[in-house]
Amino acid sequence: MRSSFNWRLIFKTIGMAFVLPGRQLKVDFQSDADTQTGQQESNPVRAFMLAFGHPVVDELLARKVRAAQIASIARLTPFIVLANVVNVIVITLAFQHFMPFSFIAVWIAAIGAFLAYTLYKWLKANRSPIHLASRRSLNKAVLHATIFSGLWAVVPIAAFGYGDPDGIWIASCVTTGMLCGGGFTLATVPQAAFRWVAILFLASLVSFAIGRSAELWPLVFLLSSYTLVVVGSVASAGWLFASHFLAEAELEQRGELIALLLNEFEEKSSDWLWKSDSHGNLHSISDRFLHASGRDRAELETMRMVDLAYSLDENDARSAVTRLENAMKRQQAFREIVIGVDVNGEERWWSLAARPVYDDHGSFTGYRGVASDITEARRASALVSHLAEHDSLTGIGNRSWFLKQAEAQLEEQNQNGQNTLTLFLIDLDNFKVVNDTSGHPAGDELLRQVASRFTALGEGRTMLARFGGDEFAALGRFVSDQAALAFAEELVAVTRKPFRIGRRDFAIGATVGFTRLCDSKDTVDDLMRKADIALYKAKEGGRGRSLAFEQDMEREVRERRELESDLREAFEYGKLNVDFQPIVDARSGKVVSSEVLLRWLHPERGEVPPDVFIPIAEHAGLILPLGSWVLRKACAAAAQCPELESVAVNLSPVQFMDPNLVEQILTVLQETGFPPERLVLEITESVFLRDFGTASIKLQKLRDLGIRIALDDFGTGYSSLSYLRHYKFDKIKIDKSFVDEIGERSDGLAIISAVIALAHNLGLEVTAEGVERQFQVDALRTLGCDTMQGYYFGKPDPNPMRVAQIRREDWQDRSPSTAPKNPGALRSVS
């Protein structure tokens, strides 16, 4: 609705209130949005029109507004009567000097009768208040104002007609006061107020016209300004009254709607409303509340919400009762207080929220709130928390839970000045063998049995957790290193006993590293790091044992990490070298092959032996790219040297475990153009300990490509003969430790002779490593060794071409300064 149209409508409404107060002006306030929603628009213009009695709202609301307008005037009736009585007395005393008493008497009688009638109507209305008023009632109010103002309009006309100065002065004051006072008194019914003001204003104009004095014109302007102010004030007051009533009606309607929704909410929702009086006793109890509590209405009405909270004897419930009691005692609003309630013997949990209620005088009358049953949500949350903090397989704590507990215990120890806290890290031995041979279900059952044994062993002494895989951790308080070591030994011992899974028994074992809190500045991370170092050292020294952390271990680990960092840098920037060591034929003395050796010349440490940095590369995850680089460089260099019949490259056990090993080797051979028949891959017995069950498949795939396989360091393991029986090899290499014993111990030669005879019977070629003396060459030739390698034939060289050019005469006539210390040992086999 445009603003200009609003003002035109307002002025038109005011004008009609003066001229035709009973006529209704119909205006359509229904907008498109209102039509769709079925709601009437509430705006200032509507309220203004409603104040003047126009049908802009439904009839029921209009009747309520009319009743309220009339009631507002009726409340002032005693004051109106009193004011009129006073004014009548003043006018009578002033007019008796210049006006006939008969006229005054008639006027007083009319005024008195009208006031009596008004008082009678007021008394009657007080006995039976009117809540709804028709349009006719409003017209009666306008008529009442018209008659009453007409009686008072006589006063100024009579005074000016007789021309008495005192009478004129008194009449002017009374008329002005009646105009203003009556207008404001009738403001809630603007039509009546305007009729009152209009009649008195016109009477005053007539009086001024009768007087015909130039001195009266200023009074005309003053009276006109007063009248305009009264008209504007009446219009504003009427609009405010209607607006206020409309707002109250809207609030009442919303309250009814909210009450309806609340009733529906209580019937269909899992929540319910509750109320209590100032003493805390429950009342207005809904059916939903009755059902949730498991009690009857009579019982609940004698109870408080606190009494229900006391019905469950549980720690969490007790702590909530205290919060609830304190809040209600202080008459404070509260929310999300979770109480436990015993419902027919079942544990239920309610979430409460409420606010205090006060009456019109500000006195506390009780609480009004909402409650909801959150039992299932609480159970689900507890389950989620349990799963988040416990291992799903074994049921014991997980890493996250363990670290939280460790933090709490460490803080407690620091506060008490104690240092008994001890952390154990446990790693199962040979667990992978169980998974590989019997499947993951057997492995899972084994982990459950291990967790059960550890739990029984540490009950009352330690907290246990599974970190993942076959790694466990324990945390406890031990008064001495000996007590902690004893418990660690018990952990090792309890895993040595066989585990029965299905119809099979499995023997695994465990390795334990532990540390005690020695420094108050240590954090949980520090304890974890130290225990891990101890565990690593325990594994390094042989599994199936326990080891306590010592400060020297940390220094070794630090040096190892520094070396690891240097190794990464050396590999990244090409500071590693590949050398070729000659392998000669024992009969002809010709160089027929070479072994590829990885060399690292450290700028500060000098030459670092492979047996030092290769394990570091394996542990750091660097061995796969490093091994691939060595293989590619060796094949590329050897491809340029056809004089060498073959090139031998060592494979780390970690490389051999790589599932993509065969594909990677094939890719290198294709990229370098190196024939697979010229490649020899050397592996050690440790490969079969780490990759039991799949080694034979990989070996067969490699041999199918034409690659030959050599078993390196033969004779130093535990099951060499068994490996020769189960796996296919092309050659074996006798370890240097046996070659060194030639000429020193006769049993060394006997072992070499037996190995050579065994290999030849199996169709295998034999290579002796570490040959450094002429008499070793002679002895190995005599025993039938096929090939030999060692510094005696030449030092490793980065260029395979120079290695291939070594001739027998280059080493055959060397000074025999390395004669055996025990010549009889040689003669015993000759």
Side-chain angles (χ1 to χ4, degrees):
M1 187 179 295
R2 297 191 305 271
S3 176
S4 59
F5 179 76
N6 290 347
W7 283 112
R8 286 199 299 269
L9 182 61
I10 290 171
F11 289 138
K12 184 177 181 180
T13 303
I14 294 175
M16 289 184 63
F18 279 108
V19 181
L20 299 171
R23 184 176 176 181
Q24 295 183 357
L25 181 64
K26 293 185 178 180
V27 180
D28 186 14
F29 283 89
Q30 201 81 2
S31 65
D32 294 339
D34 297 334
T35 304
Q36 295 175 1
T37 60
Q39 295 178 346
Q40 291 182 325
E41 179 186 358
S42 178
N43 53 44
V45 177
R46 184 187 301 278
F48 186 83
M49 300 292 291
L50 179 63
F52 284 84
H54 297 293
V56 293
V57 295
D58 61 89
E59 182 58 23
L60 178 61
L61 180 58
R63 291 169 68 90
K64 290 182 179 180
V65 173
R66 295 183 197 120
Q69 288 176 306
I70 295 172
S72 177
I73 298 175
R75 283 194 295 270
L76 299 175
T77 297
F79 302 101
I80 295 174
V81 171
L82 179 61
N84 277 270
V85 170
V86 172
N87 288 340
V88 167
I89 294 173
V90 171
I91 292 298
T92 300
L93 294 176
F95 279 29
Q96 65 181 352
H97 301 292
F98 61 87
M99 184 175 288
F101 183 77
S102 59
F103 291 139
I104 297 175
V106 171
W107 179 79
I108 293 175
I111 291 289
F114 198 82
L115 290 177
Y117 175 77
T118 302
L119 196 59
Y120 166 76
K121 285 290 186 180
W122 175 74
L123 293 173
K124 185 178 178 180
N126 281 344
R127 287 194 295 268
S128 55
I130 300 175
H131 300 288
L132 298 175
S134 64
R135 177 72 186 177
R136 184 178 177 183
S137 300
L138 203 62
N139 291 335
K140 287 182 179 180
V142 175
L143 180 61
H144 185 279
T146 302
I147 296 173
F148 204 20
S149 60
L151 292 175
W152 280 103
V154 174
V155 173
I157 295 175
F160 279 88
Y162 281 95
D164 183 73
D166 292 337
I168 293 174
W169 182 80
I170 294 296
S172 299
C173 292
V174 169
T175 301
T176 304
M178 292 295 287
L179 186 148
C180 296
F184 290 128
T185 302
L186 300 172
T188 56
V189 183
Q191 302 98 311
F194 286 173
R195 181 58 62 87
W196 174 277
V197 171
I199 291 175
L200 291 180
F201 178 72
L202 290 176
S204 299
L205 292 180
V206 170
S207 302
F208 293 152
I210 293 174
R212 293 183 179 182
S213 172
E215 297 178 355
L216 297 177
W217 287 110
L219 296 178
V220 174
F221 289 111
L222 286 176
L223 185 63
S224 299
S225 65
Y226 293 160
T227 302
L228 289 176
V229 170
V230 172
V231 169
S233 300
V234 167
S236 177
W239 169 72
L240 289 174
F241 181 85
S243 298
H244 178 71
F245 196 91
L246 280 180
E248 286 186 346
E250 185 177 357
L251 289 176
E252 182 180 356
Q253 184 179 11
R254 290 182 180 179
E256 293 175 355
L257 179 60
I258 291 173
L260 180 63
L261 293 176
L262 287 176
N263 290 334
E264 185 178 0
F265 166 79
E266 283 199 284
E267 291 176 2
K268 298 182 178 180
S269 175
S270 60
D271 300 351
W272 64 92
L273 301 177
W274 63 275
K275 298 179 182 178
S276 69
D277 58 23
S278 59
H279 302 291
N281 296 321
L282 298 170
H283 66 85
S284 303
I285 298 169
S286 64
D287 293 339
R288 176 77 185 102
F289 193 177
L290 290 175
H291 177 73
S293 66
R295 295 165 173 81
D296 56 35
R297 189 179 303 275
E299 182 182 2
L300 274 184
E301 288 178 346
T302 62
M303 301 180 69
R304 302 173 302 161
M305 188 61 77
V306 174
D307 299 330
L308 287 172
Y310 268 113
S311 64
L312 184 64
D313 188 10
E314 206 271 349
N315 290 334
D316 289 347
R318 285 287 178 264
S319 61
V321 170
T322 303
R323 290 181 56 201
L324 181 61
E325 283 185 321
N326 290 338
M328 298 187 76
K329 183 178 180 181
R330 298 171 183 173
Q331 300 178 3
Q332 296 175 338
F334 56 85
R335 61 192 301 267
E336 294 183 354
I337 292 183
V338 179
I339 66 171
V341 181
D342 186 334
V343 179
N344 297 327
E346 181 184 1
E347 178 182 304
R348 306 297 296 183
W349 295 90
W350 297 353
S351 177
L352 303 180
R355 63 178 181 83
V357 180
Y358 300 91
D359 59 18
D360 295 337
H361 303 290
S363 300
F364 173 71
T365 60
Y367 271 94
R368 181 177 300 167
V370 63
S372 58
D373 191 318
I374 61 168
T375 305
E376 300 306 323
R378 183 181 174 91
R379 290 172 181 171
S381 177
L383 178 60
V384 170
S385 298
H386 179 83
L387 293 176
E389 295 184 344
H390 290 77
D391 178 49
S392 59
L393 178 63
T394 62
I396 61 177
N398 59 15
R399 184 186 187 96
S400 175
W401 171 84
F402 184 84
L403 294 179
K404 289 180 182 177
Q405 298 297 319
E407 289 281 2
Q409 292 214 21
L410 181 61
E411 183 178 356
E412 182 181 347
Q413 290 254 305
N414 290 334
Q415 290 177 353
N416 298 334
Q418 299 176 343
N419 59 351
T420 60
L421 196 64
T422 307
L423 191 148
F424 303 83
L425 292 183
I426 312 152
D427 201 2
L428 302 184
D429 302 333
N430 302 322
F431 173 72
K432 192 175 185 302
V433 175
V434 179
N435 266 343
D436 291 342
T437 58
S438 301
H440 289 283
D444 292 345
E445 177 59 25
L446 176 61
L447 290 173
R448 283 190 285 266
Q449 293 189 23
V450 169
S452 178
R453 290 188 185 182
F454 285 168
T455 301
L457 181 64
E459 186 173 4
R461 294 192 290 175
T462 61
M463 294 183 302
L464 182 67
R466 177 178 173 234
F467 279 8
D470 59 351
E471 298 177 359
F472 292 80
L475 185 72
R477 300 182 181 185
F478 294 86
V479 295
S480 65
D481 294 341
Q482 293 74 16
L485 179 60
F487 179 75
E489 292 293 344
E490 290 180 35
L491 291 172
V492 174
V494 80
T495 56
R496 290 198 183 108
K497 300 176 182 179
F499 292 88
R500 186 73 174 179
I501 302 176
R503 297 182 178 180
R504 297 183 59 184
D505 288 335
F506 291 89
I508 51 172
T511 305
V512 179
F514 66 94
T515 183
R516 297 184 67 241
L517 179 63
C518 299
D519 189 345
S520 60
K521 297 180 181 179
D522 278 352
T523 64
V524 172
D525 289 340
D526 294 329
L527 295 178
M528 288 286 295
R529 176 176 50 81
K530 292 178 179 180
D532 190 55
I533 291 173
L535 178 62
Y536 175 81
K537 294 297 292 183
K539 290 180 180 179
E540 192 178 60
R543 294 176 176 269
R545 58 195 293 255
S546 62
L547 190 64
F549 171 78
E550 297 178 1
Q551 291 298 331
D552 289 343
M553 296 180 183
E554 192 164 22
R555 177 182 52 79
E556 293 178 12
V557 170
R558 189 183 304 111
E559 292 179 355
R560 187 184 186 89
R561 289 175 180 170
E562 292 175 357
L563 201 60
E564 176 185 326
S565 177
D566 294 343
L567 178 60
R568 288 183 182 276
E569 182 180 351
F571 176 63
E572 183 178 353
Y573 292 101
K575 297 179 181 179
L576 299 176
N577 301 311
V578 171
D579 286 352
F580 295 83
Q581 185 178 39
I583 300 177
V584 301
D585 183 86
R587 296 176 181 83
S588 65
K590 178 183 177 182
V591 175
V592 294
S593 182
S594 66
E595 180 180 357
V596 177
L597 304 177
L598 183 61
R599 292 290 182 259
W600 179 22
L601 185 62
H602 193 279
E604 298 177 359
R605 303 172 185 266
E607 185 169 351
V608 182
D611 58 353
V612 173
F613 69 81
I614 291 298
I616 294 177
E618 291 179 341
H619 186 268
L622 192 61
I623 193 62
L624 293 181
L626 183 58
S628 179
W629 175 79
V630 171
L631 180 64
R632 181 176 283 100
K633 191 160 185 177
C635 291
Q640 307 299 322
C641 183
E643 291 84 0
L644 291 177
E645 295 179 7
S646 62
V647 171
V649 179
N650 289 279
L651 282 183
S652 161
V654 177
Q655 283 181 271
F656 194 83
M657 291 171 62
D658 184 9
N660 300 319
L661 174 66
V662 178
E663 290 77 7
Q664 290 178 357
I665 292 177
L666 184 59
T667 300
V668 171
L669 294 176
Q670 291 173 348
E671 291 177 353
T672 59
F674 191 67
E677 296 79 9
R678 295 178 58 194
L679 178 61
V680 179
L681 296 178
E682 298 184 359
I683 60 176
T684 61
E685 295 176 4
S686 59
V687 163
F688 308 110
L689 293 175
R690 298 194 182 194
D691 203 4
F692 184 81
T694 60
S696 59
I697 299 175
K698 289 183 181 179
L699 291 177
Q700 189 58 48
K701 288 182 179 180
L702 293 172
R703 296 184 81 246
D704 290 343
L705 294 175
I707 299 172
R708 290 184 290 168
I709 307 299
L711 182 59
D712 198 10
D713 299 334
F714 182 78
T716 59
Y718 299 98
S719 306
S720 299
L721 297 180
S722 175
Y723 296 145
L724 292 177
R725 183 179 179 182
H726 288 90
Y727 302 99
K728 298 297 183 181
F729 299 101
D730 296 286
K731 63 188 298 185
I732 60 175
K733 300 185 73 173
I734 299 175
D735 188 69
K736 181 179 181 298
S737 60
F738 294 103
V739 176
D740 289 341
E741 292 180 354
I742 296 177
E744 305 295 332
R745 296 175 56 179
S746 58
D747 55 354
L749 283 174
I751 292 175
I752 294 175
S753 177
V755 169
I756 293 174
L758 174 63
H760 287 169
N761 288 332
L762 295 176
L764 304 178
E765 179 184 333
V766 180
T767 299
E769 297 180 294
V771 179
E772 297 180 353
R773 303 178 182 182
Q774 178 64 45
F775 68 87
Q776 294 172 339
V777 174
D778 296 336
L780 292 170
R781 281 177 176 171
T782 303
L783 295 175
C785 185
D786 299 300
T787 55
M788 300 175 288
Q789 73 178 87
Y791 281 2
Y792 184 76
F793 307 105
K795 293 184 178 181
D797 194 289
N799 189 347
M801 299 290 292
R802 288 198 291 266
V803 172
Q805 293 172 0
I806 296 177
R807 297 292 180 262
R808 180 173 182 174
E809 53 271 18
D810 295 335
W811 48 267
Q812 189 176 27
D813 297 328
R814 289 181 180 173
S815 173
S817 58
T818 54
K821 298 179 181 179
N822 184 9
L826 287 177
R827 289 193 296 269
S828 64
V829 298
S830 60

